[in-house]
Amino acid sequence: MQRRQFLRLAASSAAVSAATASTALAAAPGRPNIVLIMADDMGWSDLGCYGSEIATPTLDRLAANGIRFTQFYNTARCCPTRASLLTGLYPHQAGIGHMMNDYGLPGYRGDLNKNSVTIAEVLKTAGYQTAMTGKWHVTPRSRADKGNWPLQRGFDRFFGTIDGAGSFYNPATLTRQNETIEPETKEFYYTDALGENAVAYIEEFSAKPDPFFLYMAFTAPHWPLHCPEETVAKYKDTYKDGWDALRQKRFAKQKKLGLVKSNWELTPRDREVPAWENAPDKEWEARRMAVYAGMIDRLDRAVARVVRTLEQKKMLDNTLILFFADNGGCAEGMNAPPANQNPNTSIKPLTTRDGRPVRYGNTPDILPGPEDTYTSYATPWANASNTPFRMYKHWVHEGGISSPLVAHWPAVIKRRNAMSSEPGHLIDLMATCVDLAKAKYPASWKGERIHPMEGKSLEPVFRAGRRTPHEAIYWEHEGNQAIRMGQWKLVKVHKGEWELYDIEADRTELNNLAAAQPERVKAMAAKWEAWAQRANVAPWESWAQGKKNRKKG
């Protein structure tokens, strides 16, 4: 039904954007279609091809016929990652150093700024058709003019949500084009709908000779743990042996696949997590992970629909598909919303579509999966999702920032089942798209100065396996800080001391060399500080005070 509605809308649409290039440019040979696919709150080990037991046959197939990157990074949090991905900048440069709150500082306005352009805006100038399905989360939904909604930032087509999370059966801010809508059927499931609408966009775009850019931003497997029961049932007994056994099995598979080095150690179980043998409510715990696995299973099926459509249209060979995640596994708990919440602004509904109360919380009396539940899988299973690393979403140790990256492009990537240890970051995706589209990244846009791209194209890796590396890659989120230079990584938690790791020898960050190499620590810290000044990064205390001042005003 969603697809039929879209096709009716597309048929009656007056026009696409006027900002297109000439027909000759649009038809230039060799320029691929580009499909960027992002999972939400998925750990590094959660795909089959990265060590998991979860059924991800489509993504595993893409990896087997392409490249898996083993050292690709995100920004540790959902909306900063989206800002960085879309603009090719560090998130603070795009105005989203934290979440969708305005802290009164340039790097922390909580709204995509005018000194940035999106991939869609740039590729449209090169004749690309542009579409998005999924989670936007780079502007407050309260912004009345919709000035930073997808259609206002370069996309011809949009089906998805403006907010950052919500029910998979009745998503908050569900939107088509510029208008909020309601799910049309009782069987609606957001992940499925994103795949269905992506297919409709590809079918529409395939009727024209122009290449297309498609951005699919799934909310799976972000909480709440929602998944149809027939999919959860596949994993009913999968996790009965618990998180300790799961971490060991995944780590062994990662070694066998060549994803981790034989001399790297598995990080210890999080000290807040009991040994599985001592865990209460084992059946409920296993159910939580089963639902989470089902959400990823369902995501893979949605990607399968897209891949089948590209094959049927004979477009798969010259389509670059990149799959990645916005941050590491999420250790967040789950609390109920206040009873007096505003239903127009909350991502946590009080009732289901048919009027039943939604049950909140991570307690054994609430079995996750159905629409009337709202739960998360929390620290124990997030620890397993991030195998072999430590820490989680929010932090900039490897567990928070490491992302799988699967690259599939048969026309160019000739090495099959290849792996690349080239360090990369989400900032590289804009540079890659501009490079492949033969587009020109602007110095100014609509009268505003645009920050130069921070990333480097991945095309040399696709073609030859290597590229000139970044001199340094940087992170800051909620006062957590890091810099990566070659094999060396300097990292600290907010208000903590700098830690130094040799990533080649110890990527699981268990052997802190800071005390043994104080000069290296000093030099790398100074380089991080210089970047922070340039990239609009402010200390946590500064923008937290800005929030207080804004409230007082």
Side-chain angles (χ1 to χ4, degrees), residues 282-335:
K282 289 184 174 61
E283 185 175 347
W284 169 71
E285 289 285 11
R287 167 75 183 195
R288 289 208 286 177
M289 189 61 189
V291 178
Y292 177 88
M295 295 169 77
I296 295 175
D297 184 308
R298 207 78 175 207
L299 182 157
D300 187 85
R301 296 190 212 179
V303 175
R305 297 190 64 177
V306 169
V307 173
R308 283 197 301 271
T309 302
L310 291 169
E311 288 178 310
Q312 292 165 0
K313 300 292 183 182
K314 302 189 184 305
M315 301 170 79
L316 184 64
D317 191 58
N318 196 34
T319 296
L320 169 64
I321 300 175
L322 295 177
F323 178 90
F324 47 95
D326 67 343
N327 44 249
C330 176
E332 296 169 351
M334 182 58 61
N335 298 314

Side-chain angles (χ1 to χ4, degrees), residues 131-143:
M132 177 185 171
T133 64
K135 171 176 166 177
W136 185 236
H137 207 201
V138 290
T139 191
R141 79 157 88 168
S142 59
R143 181 170 171 173

Side-chain angles (χ1 to χ4, degrees), residues 2 5-6 82 131-137 141 149-151 155 157-167 170-183 188-191 193-198 201 214-219:
Q2 293 281 355
Q5 182 191 23
F6 162 73
R82 283 159 175 74
M132 177 185 171
T133 64
K135 171 176 166 177
W136 185 236
H137 207 201
R141 79 157 88 168
W149 283 29
L151 265 62
F155 288 95
R157 298 282 182 260
F158 174 64
F159 172 84
T161 45
I162 304 302
D163 260 346
S167 169
N170 187 22
T173 67
L174 186 63
T175 300
R176 184 179 299 286
Q177 298 297 83
N178 271 335
E179 302 301 324
T180 54
I181 60 174
E182 297 292 331
F188 180 91
Y189 183 66
Y190 192 31
T191 302
L194 296 183
E196 183 179 356
N197 280 269
Y201 295 144
L214 172 64
Y215 170 36
M216 298 182 70
F218 288 97
T219 52

